[in-house]
Amino acid sequence: MGAREVGLPDVVPSGSLPSRVTIWEVGARDGLQNESVVVPVSVKLEFLARLADAGLSVLEATSFVHPKWVPQLADAAELLAGLDRRPGVVYPVLVPNERGLDRALEAGVSHIAIFASATETFASRNLNRTLDSQFEMFEPTVSRALAAGLDVRGYVSMCFGDPWEGPVSRGQVVAVGERLLEMGCSQLSLGDTIGVATPGQVESLLEGFRDVSSLAVHFHDTYGQALSNTLAALRCGVTTVDSSAGGLGGCPYAESATGNLATEDLVWMLDGLGVETGVDLDRLVETSVWMAEQLGRPSPSRVVRALSK
């Protein structure tokens, strides 16, 4: 008899947690961007449809980064043209600059995200900019997007550690993040790009911001700390968590970055804590099993493995 057949996980609420968490599903973009074999648009569209069917209300669909850098997402315009946009579901897209914004506007998107670096080396390698000059690229993109009525999210990478620079100071991360918020970003996603954070570090960083209500967290599970770090963030007042169905993903610009926090593992934990997500875990597991079959390998998510036996 399986865990779900006997009513597991048992619901035991814990103090100091939000009653509801918004899951920002990144599987279709961050989850697939590092795949070496190009996934057909038809598969991506079905993936997004299945994720919506499972109850996820924020589905980051694709990115308008130059195809040379992320070939997997070269089909962004085609994907958005074929997307069945569900009522109550938003489909943000990542844009690196004004050229990406132009393409996003042509595609009729309503939510975009920009991506910044908290460190000098990653800004150079990922954006071909200095830590300070990256904002010169973001400012016109954000101002034009806001003028067009779009919602803008800001990602900050390397918030907890950098493979070239080592530990990253809290002040440096906060300075980058606050600057993006002042620019007009409605939300800031703090990324543990190489998965080195621990809960105390998470708490310390969040304490450095003036207002946690505009913060989200994005953890990679390189050292198995993503769930514990997420729980620490929730206890600090964060109510939006990025995750990837089936634990897909990594960062093409940081070799030490492994998969994202698996959405199924996150939902299992939140279900057990009595925190609402609106996600049907069984349907989500079915989706990730299906996607794993398309990719030709098993899902790294422990919950997917446990519930699909």
Side-chain angles (χ1 to χ4, degrees), residues 214-285:
S214 59
L215 302 181
V217 288
H218 184 119
F219 294 115
H220 285 227
D221 207 30
T222 314
Y223 295 93
Q225 302 299 299
L227 272 180
S228 59
N229 289 334
T230 297
L231 186 58
L234 297 179
R235 294 198 189 283
C236 290
V238 169
T239 59
T240 299
V241 179
D242 298 2
S243 63
S244 176
L248 296 172
C251 176
Y253 302 103
E255 292 182 2
S256 52
T258 54
N260 292 287
L261 167 62
T263 306
E264 293 84 358
D265 298 6
L266 173 62
V267 173
W268 177 276
M269 180 182 78
L270 294 177
D271 279 357
L273 289 166
V275 176
E276 293 291 330
T277 63
V279 176
D280 183 324
L281 182 57
D282 294 321
R283 295 193 75 167
L284 182 59
V285 168

Side-chain angles (χ1 to χ4, degrees), residues 24 47 54 59 71 84 98 122 127 137 144 151 174 178 197 227 245 277:
W24 189 290
F47 188 33
L59 301 176
D84 175 22
E98 285 193 272
F122 196 64
L127 302 171
M137 181 172 63
R144 284 185 54 205
D151 182 85
V174 171
E178 294 286 2
L227 272 180
T277 63

Side-chain angles (χ1 to χ4, degrees), residues 107 111 132 279 297:
H111 294 68
D132 191 58
V279 176
R297 64 174 185 277

Side-chain angles (χ1 to χ4, degrees), residues 21-309:
V21 163
T22 297
I23 297 177
W24 189 290
E25 172 60 47
V26 300
R29 195 277 301 172
D30 195 14
L32 295 180
Q33 70 176 7
N34 213 26
E35 291 294 319
S36 57
V37 177
V38 174
V39 178
V41 173
S42 59
V43 172
K44 294 176 182 177
L45 288 171
E46 184 168 352
F47 188 33
L48 287 164
R50 286 171 176 255
L51 292 170
D53 288 341
L56 288 153
S57 60
V58 184
L59 301 176
E60 193 164 274
T62 187
S63 170
F64 280 111
V65 69
H66 195 288
K68 174 184 176 182
W69 302 115
V70 186
Q72 183 65 248
L73 304 180
D75 56 10
E78 181 183 357
L79 181 140
L80 291 171
L83 183 62
D84 175 22
R85 291 177 169 84
R86 305 290 183 84
V89 179
V90 295
Y91 298 89
V93 301
L94 208 62
V95 301
N97 49 36
E98 285 193 272
R99 292 190 300 278
L101 176 62
D102 289 338
R103 296 175 63 200
L105 291 171
E106 289 175 7
V109 306
S110 59
H111 294 68
I112 67 165
I114 59 172
F115 49 99
S117 173
T119 67
E120 194 75 56
T121 306
F122 196 64
S124 174
R125 287 174 173 262
N126 192 35
L127 302 171
N128 199 29
R129 298 274 179 151
T130 66
L131 185 62
D132 191 58
S133 70
Q134 64 180 329
F135 296 100
E136 297 172 4
M137 181 172 63
F138 302 142
E139 285 168 353
T141 304
V142 173
S143 62
R144 284 185 54 205
L146 294 175
L150 273 60
D151 182 85
V152 182
R153 183 190 222 211
Y155 279 101
V156 183
S157 298
M158 301 297 175
C159 291
F160 299 93
D162 180 290
W164 303 280
E165 298 183 17
V168 182
S169 74
R170 181 175 82 168
Q172 188 166 303
V173 177
V174 171
V176 170
E178 294 286 2
R179 195 163 171 181
L180 291 174
L181 291 170
E182 291 166 4
M183 200 178 291
C185 291
S186 64
Q187 187 179 74
L188 194 69
S189 176
L190 304 173
D192 182 18
T193 313
I194 57 173
V196 294
T198 53
Q201 192 179 8
V202 172
E203 293 168 1
S204 176
L205 177 59
L206 294 174
E207 288 169 0
F209 284 88
R210 293 191 294 267
D211 180 13
V212 298
S213 66
S214 59
L215 302 181
V217 288
H218 184 119
F219 294 115
H220 285 227
D221 207 30
T222 314
Y223 295 93
Q225 302 299 299
L227 272 180
S228 59
N229 289 334
T230 297
L231 186 58
L234 297 179
R235 294 198 189 283
C236 290
V238 169
T239 59
T240 299
V241 179
D242 298 2
S243 63
S244 176
L248 296 172
C251 176
Y253 302 103
E255 292 182 2
S256 52
T258 54
N260 292 287
L261 167 62
T263 306
E264 293 84 358
D265 298 6
L266 173 62
V267 173
W268 177 276
M269 180 182 78
L270 294 177
D271 279 357
L273 289 166
V275 176
E276 293 291 330
T277 63
V279 176
D280 183 324
L281 182 57
D282 294 321
R283 295 193 75 167
L284 182 59
V285 168
E286 291 173 4
T287 296
S288 288
V289 169
W290 169 84
M291 193 65 200
E293 292 171 352
Q294 310 308 306
L295 298 175
R297 64 174 185 277
S299 167
S301 164
R302 293 184 180 183
V303 169
V304 170
R305 292 181 183 182
L307 295 183
S308 60
K309 288 180 179 179

